[in-house]
Amino acid sequence: MEKKNICLDLNNTVWEKESALGARYCKAEGVLYCHSSTAPDKQRLNIYVPVEYLNGDGTVNRSGRCGGYTAETAPILYINGIGLYLGKVPYKITEKDDTLAGKNGWYYDYVKQGYVIVFAGARGKDDLDENSLAVGKAPVGLSDLKAGVRFLRRNKDKIPGDTDKIISSGMSAGGAMSILLAASGNSDKFDYHLKAMGAVMDERDDVFASQAYCPITDLDRADTAYEFMYINDDNGIANGMGAFNKALSEKLFSEYISYLNGRNITVGGVSYTLGADGRSGSFYDYILGKFVSSYRAENDGPLPSFLSSLDTIVKNHNHRSKACPCFDSLFSGGEGASVECGVFGRMRSKPTDPDFKRHFSPSVAEQIAALKDRFQGEYDEYYKLYKAQSESEDVKEQVALYNPYTYLDEGKTRVASKIRICVGSMDSATSTAVSAQLALTLASRGIDTEYEIMWGQGHTDADREGEFIAWVNRISK
Ligand code: DHB
């Protein structure tokens, strides 16, 4: 096939035929998904389809077969490569890195399965327009990914694959995005950003399924969940935590217990709760059980004794890697600020502005206030800014739009029907409680949820060889 203009978009993308490692496919790279891009390198899709799915003239060959699918039935993998909430140009099929393809083979293997692969780029927290003003603060990354989904639906006659079987995937911040896409389908809360970027407005943006690796999510509560898990880890970074950090850790630990219990999570008649000590209760047992089955999936013989409690797990296997408070860090500005403070900066701020990064967690603010009597100096130093920034209307909205529970609790969106969450047993970029709570919440809403801790893996595309493909085939056929 010579290069054919498929007129998918504004920049006259063409399908080109290629083959590599036994996969034969046509690619359309650099497809712009919106009309008014402020980061034209990122707001694009790279699309790869099995060669059988296209006719020689570039039109869709509906009966074309590959793997177990046809051009009409093939699932569409919608993979974002977002990390650290930064902007991202879409992956290319030629890439094989630590994310996603690593444990699951080359992306070429997906072509051989008959999948349509769409790599989505998006703007992120540090992106600036030509005037050096921020264009990628929350909720822009998610809005961009939604625009890409809408674009696929608008062009479903020109792009092979079943747009009712869009399966999103991502790792870490990208895993959070994948969960958000799953939870927020067709929410009208994104209309402003979608219109502003010139996205397709009259198509749906829900996805059928979502794979999330190590999702860094529930950001405004993430500090409470982190201290719930790591409060008693007394090595490494924990040694650098002074009396104030430790006192704050205790406060956040306790807050997580009330928060989790207030979520009222019930699955299959079991209510998931924590005891007042945070080291008992059905939710605690659930997490511990997940670590045990994770070990069992890879090892025979007696269980190591450290698997008997969360405290021994974090002391022996999964160590604290961030000091308290780590998500909404004590300094919201400058070099000491966390990744997440950058996510909730003000749109159109300049990197030198004090609100390019902001505090966003009412939990951390509240617990600093609760320590006022004991730590007056720290209170005077930090509290005012935490409160002012985290309680400002636009931060509250940004935080809500980047929290999957906003959508799951409101019940107004079309939530993906299949969700697979995988984390590493040694991942300490966020608390295991975050993914456990999320998986149980999704299951409680009747969503077909698979949740697994992968033994010995860290903050990565935590998976076992072939299992992602097996899951995709299980839910798509
Ligand atoms: C990522 C890692 C983090 O530790 C974090 O706080 C946010 C995002 C990431 O790898 O995407």
Side-chain angles (χ1 to χ4, degrees), residues 10 35 50 128 165 184 465:
L10 319 154
H35 285 271
L128 306 174
K165 277 199 223 131
S184 68
E465 205 178 327

Side-chain angles (χ1 to χ4, degrees), residues 83-84 172-173 216 322 327 339-340 429 459:
L84 299 170
S172 194
I216 307 276
K322 299 174 172 182
F327 292 93
V339 166
E340 287 73 18
H459 188 61

Side-chain angles (χ1 to χ4, degrees), residues 83-147:
L84 299 170
Y85 285 94
L86 292 165
K88 179 75 179 83
V89 298
Y91 279 136
K92 292 195 167 156
I93 197 166
T94 47
E95 291 177 63
K96 179 174 184 174
D97 65 5
D98 191 35
T99 54
L100 294 169
K103 307 292 183 317
N104 295 302
W106 286 90
Y107 293 122
Y108 301 116
D109 292 343
Y110 299 167
V111 172
K112 290 190 243 175
Q113 289 291 323
Y115 307 158
V116 168
I117 311 173
V118 178
F119 295 113
R123 292 169 291 175
K125 70 185 182 77
D126 290 349
D127 284 323
L128 306 174
D129 66 9
E130 65 279 5
N131 300 314
S132 294
L133 303 178
V135 291
K137 302 299 186 182
V140 155
L142 179 56
S143 313
D144 281 0
L145 295 176
K146 284 172 170 288

